[in-house]
Amino acid sequence: MDERFAEFDLIDLIASKVARLEPSCGGVGRLRTGIGDDAAITVPGGATATSVDAIVEGVHFDRAWSPPDAISHKAVAAALSDLAAMAAAPGEVYVTLGVPPDTDRAWLKSLAEGFATAAERFSVVLAGGDTVTSPVLFASVTVVGHAPQDTGFVLRSGARPGQLVVVTGSLGGAAAGLWLLSNGPGAADGMDEGLAEALIGRQLRPEPQIEAGLLLGAAGAASMVDLSDGLVADLGHVGRASGVAIEIDSTLVPVQPGVPEVVASAGAETAAFVLAGGEDFELAVTVEESAFLAAREGLAAAGIDLTAIGTVASGEGVSVVGPDGPVEVPAGFEHLA
Ligand code: ADP
Ligand code: MG
């Protein structure tokens, strides 16, 4: 740790919080040595999937909108969403924090503790990291997930013509929440307060679909991606990796309650929020039609909705059809408007 933070001792703070939380963390069985030595030691037993995600102040978050513990929550959630999209069981999380020397100490304490709290919430072990001074506040989160064998993971490249395109949950909420944060929670005409709160929560404290990812992997998902950039952009990744075309029916795409009111107040197109709005962190999978009903039942038993929204075809690109014909999809939603 940089000596300019010595009097605050951020690492000790994180380490003590993790030590208090660790007994309740699911992944702890693999960890032999966590925070405090020169490196973490795990005994993974099988195959691991590793993903790294960084957030930078002014690019990915704004202190004016996000409480510090929401920033750490979202950083961990976004990283774990990538593991969910592999059908990996999350195990360990590692956090590199870059902190400007003039950062308010109480704010920083809350941010740091937020990483340990988020790890606990998602049943992963905060097993290490690094803490450095930096001209701009940033966090880099590395997550390691596990499967008994490497064949247990679900890749982007498994989509084949004839499969159904399916999504978990509902879309558009995180983009609508961002609109409410920048325009004021009362800015959407006639919006119920509870709905507005849920949309803002969707933006500030997203939930990675870890259980859904594992269930979908077990149910025979052929390809999978998490929805971080927006439905059409992320399905574009699947189409390119698999060498197929993806055809979506926009009338089938599940929309989070409250989103239509925000769309109307924003004078925007629904597509901008639902098809191009990112950060919902739902999962999109392709699956053989014969496996879909069983997959939907399995997820329903866990309280997770699964909706078929289109099909995989031969060719390339993502096309969207609505009630009046082809839908023009706006370019990716700006995460920090
Ligand atoms: P070294 O100088 O050997 O690299 P550090 O002083 O950077 O060690 O870190 C000491 C211990 O604290 C290590 O186990 C490291 O993983 C952990 N650590 C440092 N920063 C963080 C952080 N932001 N979150 C979690 N653990 C951290
Ligand atoms: Mg170090």
Side-chain angles (χ1 to χ4, degrees):
M1 185 168 171
D2 192 282
E3 55 186 29
R4 267 175 282 189
F5 292 115
E7 88 277 0
F8 186 65
D9 215 340
L10 209 49
I11 298 177
D12 275 358
L13 174 77
I14 293 172
S16 65
K17 176 120 193 189
V18 167
R20 283 203 308 278
L21 298 176
E22 247 177 23
S24 64
C25 288
V28 78
R30 298 183 195 96
L31 188 73
R32 294 296 175 268
T33 303
I35 295 177
D37 216 307
D38 294 310
I41 300 173
T42 63
V43 183
T48 61
T50 305
S51 182
V52 181
D53 249 316
I55 53 166
V56 177
E57 180 166 22
V59 181
H60 305 96
F61 66 91
D62 184 330
R63 276 190 233 187
W65 294 344
S66 301
D69 59 314
I71 295 169
S72 20
H73 173 110
K74 187 169 177 177
V76 174
L80 290 175
S81 179
D82 285 322
L83 291 187
M86 303 298 288
E92 300 79 40
V93 52
Y94 301 87
V95 175
T96 295
L97 267 182
V99 185
D102 59 356
T103 306
D104 177 81
R105 291 301 185 241
W107 190 93
L108 186 56
K109 183 169 184 272
S110 178
L111 177 88
E113 286 181 340
F115 283 104
T117 306
E120 183 197 25
R121 177 179 175 86
F122 301 127
S123 298
V124 293
V125 187
L126 182 48
D130 202 9
T131 307
V132 295
T133 2
S134 161
V136 57
L137 192 90
F138 74 89
S140 171
V141 179
T142 302
V143 285
V144 181
H146 301 264
Q149 300 148 68
D150 57 355
T151 50
F153 299 122
V154 180
L155 309 184
R156 294 176 175 183
S157 53
R160 297 291 175 268
Q163 290 171 350
L164 294 176
V165 179
V166 167
V167 291
T168 61
S170 63
L171 304 184
L178 182 57
W179 188 87
L180 289 171
L181 281 169
S182 33
N183 291 274
D189 295 333
M191 160 101 57
D192 176 271
E193 220 174 275
L195 281 187
E197 241 166 66
L199 294 172
I200 289 171
R202 193 84 202 255
Q203 167 60 223
L204 290 181
R205 295 177 197 275
E207 293 281 323
Q209 295 300 311
I210 294 166
E211 189 184 11
L214 289 167
L215 289 171
L216 286 164
S223 74
M224 181 149 58
V225 71
D226 67 314
L227 301 182
S228 53
D229 298 335
L231 178 69
V232 168
D234 288 315
L235 285 175
H237 301 320
V238 170
R240 274 189 297 280
S242 302
V244 296
I246 307 251
E247 298 172 351
I248 300 302
D249 180 341
S250 72
T251 64
L252 300 178
V253 178
V255 177
Q256 182 167 341
V259 172
E261 288 91 323
V262 169
V263 167
S265 300
E269 296 289 322
T270 305
F273 287 76
V274 175
L275 303 179
E279 303 196 308
D280 284 320
F281 298 110
E282 296 291 351
L283 297 173
V285 304
T286 67
V287 62
E288 294 294 338
E289 206 166 347
S290 56
F292 172 62
L293 287 181
R296 192 171 65 179
E297 262 171 44
L299 268 80
I304 303 161
D305 291 334
L306 198 62
T307 310
I309 60 166
T311 48
V312 182
S314 49
E316 58 179 52
V318 179
S319 55
V320 183
V321 175
D324 312 313
V327 174
E328 193 73 37
V329 179
F333 189 82
E334 285 297 324
H335 288 179
L336 245 189

